[in-house]
């Protein structure tokens, strides 16, 4: 038996008890006649003491030579500490060591195993197993487990069944790129790894499974943007005999449960907002509503003068930055430069100072008088002491730019509090989205999303106006879940695929099995999928998903610890009926 | 709202309540003036009634035309049934329908959606979504969910953390073939799908994670034997600071908990048996101990006469078949033919009848007298009325043959009761196994398994004799879990890999990251992995794992429902830097 207790549980009540502990040498203080060692395991740190008088000499000598991260086992007696450490749960006691076994030695770690480490990202990824010893990473992984358990237990208590769907499925050219898996037994053929279990969960609904969920790995072969992973985890859910309202209720319940159980935050009813309103008020379909700074559209009160920049713009829109009038002219100029950076791409920024005496001072005083500016202030809800920032141009672009500015200012002003939670349902998404590259409409959600009742006909005349039974759950400015009510009849699905540019043959080859299934009594159904990595990060009050993944990949999709991917043997390639084409 | 209740919950207490139900038309009985329809959903069946007098005419007419598996929604009143059905939980009531909506029609299903279906395997796989509507399949999937939930909750309650390890990892030529995934972003390089998270869970132990588990898909590109799947699910577990005894205790606890929670069977302490004893007594490393028929080794009492078949044999071994003396001469001859089939390969079978009068009659009376046969009976524990069957030849072969006979006879005699559970730990496995094909030793478990203390040196002189800290958990003659205490120091791991035929360069390229990790304070650790598919099937009292998998693949590794694998676009191949070599 390697231990009678762990390193986090000894308390004053156990003084004089004989204990056995195992763990890592966190640090050692050698005063010559006395040595203290912090022994660490997953559960905490316990101070060991070796002293010349009470410790056998051989053990004392051994203790002098223990290096950082050595793995040791000790037997000893719990004694009261002379100077207690109130910051440590075990701080009232220490263990006077009688026996010491070195279970393993350690080279000097390439970075310090401390909460604040000196290791850079690359190094920490290469030695991820050492990084996991650090409390922040270890605690994130334990936190993730707790969230996943809470999800499973909640959904199970609501009669949901977790069903495992296959990983070796079929490639579909729609959507992002698939990772594929050559088949040795089926020459020249490939499986694909699922981007989501979408079609399988729909088939489970056709199969009468009624309430399904799965916490499942999904795969997407995309060029990786920051904080995207080629493999990611979804909480995938589907229900039959439901309308949108049933789904929103059910998964609002789940999210409310998580906020209560994990974060001890009670939220009564989640607000809802249409996609159109979200775009109009926040320039974004996943608005962070922990703070205000709603957009004010200024076309009517800004296009009646001779300022051509505004007159030529499709949209003139502003936000009031709380207390922003305290910014110096130089700081405002820097802000203007910031929104003009190519990543954001604004052409310029107009500002209005809301002075303490109730007057206004703008960068366009040449064109607009106090009456105009007062109207701008009313529309943007600017108060005395605020700064109104106004952008103009193409509607979609200018909304995105102003949204970025809004988020940046909120961050600078400390309005994005990690322990405050503001969920929001965004509903009534458009069914289709125009893609400039391919010059055709794509499914905004996916090809299985149903249009709002009665809007199917609009597909021929005004495709961009068709709304879908689709919804996103937004938390603190992040989309944590998204879903839709699905099409459940073959005819509608065929129309939809046609509008997405599939020929009949392509539709049949790709989705024939699903459309066939719809002919055998498919029930109405819908669902939602949550991104677990993101959800866990946000509930944990952080933004970087990589910190919540045990073994993440870098931005080139590489695992630098195991050095994958890697070349294959020629023999292996041959068995797979493949040649490299490099 | 599609339903106020499900089809399994209405009871007499709800008579006169107005309800809304949705589901599938299971069957319909039309008496002209009255129509009964069985409405089915996941939760059960409720009888609907439409009658000429009480049902609106339009609804009645609609009801006449409902086909099997149509999806309908009805509103109506719960009424008492005239003739109750005590076999149905809802059998006291029926619903008098007032409103009927057809939610979807259905073609005639290719097989009947009944507990006993007329559909063959191929057809049921192609239309798996219809097969899942059948109670046996549906209940298996729900059962699987319950087992997985029980596992997660038990292990979580014991401080285990579920950590997700990556799916896109690195190919290793050791063990079975990997499925590989070409990398688009890393030209000419491939990921592999994990055969198990073995190295990652060991790295988590190095990382201090201490108690890890994961219910996880694993992949093996093998030629599929019956009831093997290319993707399968493991309950993968690992612990640090443990000895074999700690692991056996912990996972005996888990298995005991499952048997109690899932099967309501209480088992106090699991018996243990060494690998050597299992082979000697049952000819098998996964003996079914629900019944006796232990092997009796007869060399000493059968090689002293002139029977050359026995005298030339490495092993003469028999079992006593309870009540087997009732077999006719013809039946015994058929049994002899059965063991001589090429699949089993015995050269012949000697038998001894244990007569009611205490005398013996054997097929080798020419060579052996009553005194000899009495000794055989003692050694095989044969009683009056039994039949002793004796095989002889090469030890390994003859043990396998007799084990097959033992299992066959137990099945014929009804001794393999599906609701009886007999777990068994098999311990002290050999470290290495001789492979005739490659003419070298392979790791019996895997290359990370540690030899028993003090036996490392034997590797050079008597490699076949080295025992490992390895163990299997056997349930009813099936291996449901297996594991080992791992090597946790670089030097031992290097010796082990050398003995398995790895050059230093190969060892470094394949497992360098693990051996490096061992240099930074790796704790002693070990673990176990359970095959969830098999475990669930056995707990469910069945043997076929395919019946417990939602969407299984056939013996060619194909998903016949979605028709995967499938060819790829040329474009896709090009992006992956690949050409077909067919």
């Amino acid at each position: 038996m390697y231990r009678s207790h762990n390193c986090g549980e000894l308390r004053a009540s156990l003084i004089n008890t004989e204990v056995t502990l195992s763990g890592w040498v966190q640090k050692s203080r050698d005063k010559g006649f006395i040595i203290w060692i912090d022994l660490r395991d997953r559960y905490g740190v316990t101070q060991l003491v070796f002293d010349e008088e009470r410790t056998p000499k051989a053990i004392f000598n051994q203790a002098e030579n223990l290096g950082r991260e050595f793995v040791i086992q000790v037997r000893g007696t719990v004694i009261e500490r002379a100077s207690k450490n109130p910051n440590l749960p075990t701080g009232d006691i220490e263990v006077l060591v009688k026996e010491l076994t070195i279970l393993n030695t350690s080279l000097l770690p390439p970075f310090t195993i401390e909460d604040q480490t000196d290791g850079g990202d690359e190094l920490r990824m290469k030695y991820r197993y050492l990084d996991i010893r650090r409390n922040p990473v270890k605690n994130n992984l334990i936190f993730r487990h707790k969230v996943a358990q809470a999800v499973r237990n909640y959904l199970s208590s609501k009669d949901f069944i977790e069903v495992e769907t296959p990983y070796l499925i079929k490639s579909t050219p729609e959507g992002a790129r698939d990772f594929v898996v050559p088949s040795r037994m089926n020459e020249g053929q490939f499986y694909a790894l699922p981007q989501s279990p979408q079609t399988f969960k729909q088939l489970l609904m056709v199969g009468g499974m009624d309430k399904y969920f799965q916490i499942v790995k999904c795969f997407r072969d995309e060029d990786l943007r920051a904080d995207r992973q080629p493999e990611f985890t979804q909480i995938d859910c589907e229900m039959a005999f439901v309308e949108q309202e049933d789904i929103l209720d059910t998964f609002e319940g789940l999210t409310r449960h998580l906020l209560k159980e994990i974060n001890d935050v009670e939220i009564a009813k989640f607000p809802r907002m249409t996609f159109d309103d979200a775009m109009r008020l926040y320039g974004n379909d996943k608005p962070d509503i922990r703070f205000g700074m709603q957009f004010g559209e200024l076309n009517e009160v800004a296009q009646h003068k001779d300022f051509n920049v505004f007159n030529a713009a499709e949209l003139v829109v502003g936000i009031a930055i709380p207390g922003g009038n305290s910014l110096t002219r130089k700081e405002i100029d820097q802000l203007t430069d910031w929104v003009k950076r190519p990543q954001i791409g604004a052409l310029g920024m107009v500002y209005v100072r809301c002075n303490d005496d109730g007057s206004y001072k703008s960068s366009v005083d040449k064109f607009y008088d106090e009456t105009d500016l007062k109207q701008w202030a009313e529309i943007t809800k600017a108060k005395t002491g605020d700064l109104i920032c106004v952008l103009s141009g193409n509607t979609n672009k200018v909304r995105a730019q102003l949204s970025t500015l809004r988020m940046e200012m909120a961050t600078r002003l400390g309005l994005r509090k990690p322990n405050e939670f503001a969920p929001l349902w965004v509903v009534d998404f458009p069914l289709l989205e125009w893609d400039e590259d391919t010059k055709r409409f794509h499914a905004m959600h996916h090809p299985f999303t149903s249009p709002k009742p009665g809007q199917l006909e609009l597909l021929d005349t005004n495709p961009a106006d068709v709304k879908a039974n689709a919804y996103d759950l937004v938390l603190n400015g992040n989309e944590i879940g998204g879903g839709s009510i699905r099409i459940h009849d073959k005819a509608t699905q065929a129309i939809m695929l046609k509008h997405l540019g599939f020929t009949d043959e392509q539709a049949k080859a790709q989705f024939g099995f699903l459309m066939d299934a719809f002919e055998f009594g498919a029930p109405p159904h819908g669902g939602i999928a949550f991104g677990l990595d993101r959800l866990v990060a946000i509930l944990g009050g952080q933004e970087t998903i990589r910190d919540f993944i045990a073994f993440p990949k870098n931005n080139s999709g590489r695992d630098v610890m195991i050095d994958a991917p890697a070349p294959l043997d020629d023999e292996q390639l041959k068995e797979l009926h493949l040649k490299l084409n490099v």
Side-chain angles (χ1 to χ4, degrees), chain A:
Chain A
M1 192 205 55
Y2 278 104
R3 54 186 173 187
S4 62
H5 294 78
N6 66 48
C7 294
E9 64 178 319
L10 297 180
R11 297 288 182 277
S13 61
L14 290 166
I15 282 169
N16 292 326
T17 312
E18 185 108 323
V19 297
T20 306
L21 300 181
S22 289
W24 286 265
V25 173
Q26 174 76 30
K27 65 178 176 210
S28 153
R29 276 167 301 146
D30 187 344
K31 298 278 175 195
F33 60 97
I34 191 161
I35 304 166
W36 286 285
I37 284 179
D38 281 354
L39 188 68
R40 187 198 68 233
D41 68 9
R42 181 183 128 195
Y43 309 92
V45 168
T46 298
Q47 181 165 295
L48 310 178
V49 59
F50 305 75
D51 83 31
E52 265 186 338
E53 277 176 36
R54 295 177 289 176
T55 306
K57 182 146 182 59
I59 306 282
F60 190 88
N61 291 346
Q62 244 188 324
E64 284 181 311
N65 294 308
L66 293 174
R68 276 185 182 247
E69 301 304 318
F70 274 40
V71 189
I72 62 172
Q73 182 188 35
V74 296
R75 203 165 63 75
T77 311
V78 181
I79 60 173
E80 190 172 4
R81 269 211 218 183
S83 64
K84 302 197 169 44
N85 179 349
N87 299 321
L88 205 64
T90 62
D92 286 350
I93 58 92
E94 57 194 359
V95 172
L96 180 65
V97 177
K98 290 177 189 162
E99 287 176 26
L100 167 66
T101 310
I102 297 175
L103 300 174
N104 215 340
T105 59
S106 177
L107 298 180
L108 191 71
F111 49 86
T112 55
I113 314 293
E114 306 276 357
D115 291 5
Q116 298 294 334
T117 182
D118 56 354
D121 265 4
E122 273 289 308
L123 203 59
R124 286 172 44 219
M125 286 301 146
K126 183 163 165 56
Y127 297 93
R128 184 65 165 176
Y129 46 87
L130 296 179
D131 205 25
I132 290 172
R133 286 190 197 159
R134 296 172 51 243
N135 284 321
V137 181
K138 178 194 76 181
N139 290 339
N140 282 353
L141 297 181
I142 294 174
F143 184 81
R144 183 185 179 108
H145 166 69
K146 281 192 187 143
V147 173
Q149 273 292 104
V151 168
R152 284 195 163 98
N153 287 331
Y154 181 85
L155 291 176
S156 299
S157 77
K158 302 285 177 198
D159 273 340
F160 280 79
I161 302 297
E162 184 161 19
V163 180
E164 294 176 54
T165 53
Y167 277 77
L168 297 173
I169 62 166
K170 189 152 106 171
S171 189
T172 52
E174 177 73 2
R177 271 191 213 87
D178 289 316
F179 281 105
V180 300
V181 180
S183 168
R184 181 179 55 87
M185 289 206 281
N186 299 273
E187 195 174 298
Q189 299 190 23
F190 294 74
Y191 303 98
L193 299 177
Q195 297 185 31
S196 94
Q198 182 62 34
T199 49
F200 287 95
K201 68 176 174 176
Q202 292 193 242
L203 292 173
L204 285 171
M205 294 306 108
V206 177
M209 263 315 196
D210 203 79
K211 290 179 176 182
Y212 145 92
F213 83 102
Q214 189 184 188
I215 299 188
V216 61
K217 272 281 174 77
C218 300
F219 304 85
R220 214 170 276 172
D221 183 12
E222 284 178 312
D223 297 323
L224 298 173
R225 285 185 268 153
D227 217 27
R228 283 259 192 154
Q229 290 283 318
E231 49 178 305
F232 53 97
T233 306
Q234 286 200 345
I235 308 168
D236 192 48
C237 308
E238 196 82 0
M239 300 172 80
F241 300 116
V242 289
E243 292 160 338
Q244 175 167 313
E245 198 58 31
D246 300 303
I247 305 261
L248 300 195
D249 270 1
T250 303
F251 295 98
E252 185 165 319
L254 169 65
T255 312
R256 190 182 295 118
H257 174 77
L258 293 179
L259 286 166
K260 176 77 188 103
E261 178 121 341
I262 304 289
N263 300 89
D264 201 25
V265 169
E266 303 220 29
I267 293 175
K269 182 82 189 145
F270 294 4
R272 295 185 189 179
M273 189 181 289
T274 64
F275 171 85
D276 288 346
D277 281 348
M279 295 307 290
R280 188 172 52 79
L281 295 172
Y282 298 96
N284 200 304
D285 62 359
K286 42 178 195 285
D288 189 340
I289 59 166
R290 281 177 294 184
F291 56 93
M293 288 199 252
Q294 284 190 352
F295 287 15
E297 299 196 346
L298 302 174
N299 291 37
E300 284 190 22
V301 293
Q303 294 186 322
H304 60 300
K305 294 289 173 70
D306 285 340
F307 187 47
N308 280 334
V309 174
F310 280 3
N311 292 347
E314 193 181 358
L315 179 68
V316 183
V317 59
I319 52 172
I321 293 163
N325 194 24
S326 64
L327 294 178
T328 62
R329 172 62 195 267
K330 193 176 160 196
E331 286 167 332
I332 297 176
D333 285 348
Q334 283 167 347
L335 207 57
T336 306
D337 289 342
W338 189 85
V339 294
K340 286 166 78 177
R341 291 181 316 150
Q343 298 95 313
I344 302 179
L347 297 171
M349 184 178 88
V350 166
Y351 67 87
V352 183
R353 289 180 174 281
C354 306
N355 294 324
D356 289 350
D357 60 2
S359 69
Y360 299 96
K361 173 89 189 80
S362 82
S363 58
V364 284
D365 278 354
K366 222 191 321 182
F367 301 101
Y368 299 97
D369 56 27
E370 285 274 324
T371 322
D372 293 324
L373 300 180
K374 193 163 189 302
Q375 284 184 305
W376 295 14
E378 272 162 21
I379 290 170
T380 58
K381 302 196 182 81
K383 295 187 302 292
T384 297
D386 289 357
L387 181 77
I388 306 171
C389 296
V390 182
L391 302 182
S392 62
N394 164 281
T395 299
N396 288 340
K397 285 185 183 163
V398 80
R399 280 176 170 169
Q401 292 155 5
L402 193 63
S403 171
T404 308
L405 177 63
R406 175 178 174 269
M407 293 297 270
E408 171 68 15
M409 293 316 296
T411 302
R412 291 191 194 177
L413 293 167
L415 301 175
R416 307 193 64 198
K417 303 198 181 88
N419 53 355
E420 194 178 304
F421 295 95
L424 170 74
W425 285 109
V426 177
V427 297
D428 299 351
F429 273 78
L431 184 68
L432 303 174
E433 184 175 41
W434 180 255
D435 184 65
E436 265 306 318
D437 289 347
T438 55
K439 299 283 175 204
R440 66 179 180 88
F441 280 101
H442 280 265
M444 191 153 191
H445 194 61
H446 55 50
F448 315 109
T449 297
S450 68
K452 292 264 176 200
Q455 298 206 348
L456 192 61
E457 294 67 28
L458 269 180
L459 271 180
D460 286 320
T461 53
N462 298 64
D465 291 345
V466 179
K467 298 291 186 199
N469 276 321
Y471 32 81
D472 276 358
L473 183 54
V474 174
L475 184 59
N476 295 0
N478 293 280
E479 181 208 323
I480 58 164
S484 64
I485 299 296
R486 325 299 182 187
I487 296 165
H488 67 281
D489 71 282
K490 186 174 183 167
T492 307
Q493 190 63 69
I495 292 171
M496 187 68 196
L497 289 173
K498 205 180 116 202
H499 276 278
L500 294 173
F502 284 77
T503 65
D504 283 357
E505 290 69 36
Q506 287 169 332
K508 196 174 157 50
Q510 297 299 329
F511 303 114
F513 63 95
L514 185 65
M515 299 214 281
D516 287 350
F518 285 170
E519 293 203 293
F520 290 100
H525 62 284
I528 192 167
F530 292 83
L532 180 66
D533 308 292
R534 173 83 47 209
L535 176 64
V536 169
I538 294 170
L539 294 179
Q542 299 180 37
E543 301 246 313
T544 314
I545 65 171
R546 207 150 82 162
D547 295 341
F548 287 84
I549 297 172
F551 300 102
K553 295 196 168 50
N554 74 8
N555 283 349
S556 322
R558 293 199 71 83
D559 183 325
V560 295
M561 180 184 69
I562 63 170
D563 196 23
L568 281 194
D569 283 0
D570 287 347
E571 192 49 43
Q572 232 172 326
L573 276 174
K574 208 173 143 193
E575 277 194 333
L576 295 171
H577 325 287
L578 290 178
K579 271 185 203 163
L580 294 186
N581 181 20
V582 292

